[in-house]
Amino acid sequence: MQPGYPSQPPQQVDNNMTMSIVAIFLFWPLAIPAIINASKVNQLLQQGDHAGAQAASAESKKWSKWAIIVGVAWLVIVLLCCVGGGVLGSLSGSNV
C-alpha cells in the first residue's frame, strides 16, 4: 500500500445463506451443497481470500436456485396430480 492513499474497505460478499435455508424446505438434496458453500463464504473472507469467497458464494447461489426450481416444479406436479385425480375420481364416481 502506498502512503497517502486510503485503504479500501473489504468488499462484502453475500453468502446466500437465507436462500439456501429456503431451498432446503423445497428440495433438500440440492440445498445441502448450497448450505455448505454458504457457510464457507465468511470463513474465506476472514482469511482474506476474496476470490474463494466469491466462488463459494456463486456455488451456493447456483445450488440454491436449482433446489428452488426443482422443488417448485415438484410441488406443481404433485398439485396437478392431486387435482387431476380428484377430477377423475369425481367423474368416474358419477357413472356408477
Side-chain angles (χ1 to χ4, degrees):
M1 178 184 287
Q2 297 178 354
Y5 290 100
S7 63
Q8 290 182 337
Q11 293 180 341
Q12 294 294 332
V13 178
D14 185 18
N15 62 8
N16 300 308
M17 185 61 82
T18 304
M19 188 163 62
S20 300
I21 291 172
V22 169
I24 205 160
F25 291 108
L26 293 172
F27 194 72
W28 66 267
L30 294 179
I32 290 174
I35 290 177
I36 291 170
N37 281 303
S39 66
K40 291 180 184 178
V41 172
N42 291 339
Q43 294 171 353
L44 291 170
L45 282 175
Q46 289 175 351
Q47 295 171 358
D49 185 6
H50 293 287
Q54 288 176 343
S57 175
E59 284 291 309
S60 173
K61 189 173 188 177
K62 176 185 78 171
W63 285 108
S64 295
K65 282 184 178 180
W66 277 110
I68 290 171
I69 289 168
V70 171
V72 168
W74 181 252
L75 286 174
V76 168
I77 290 169
V78 168
L79 286 175
L80 287 175
C81 289
C82 289
V83 169
V87 168
L88 288 175
S90 67
L91 289 177
S92 66
S94 64
N95 292 335
V96 174

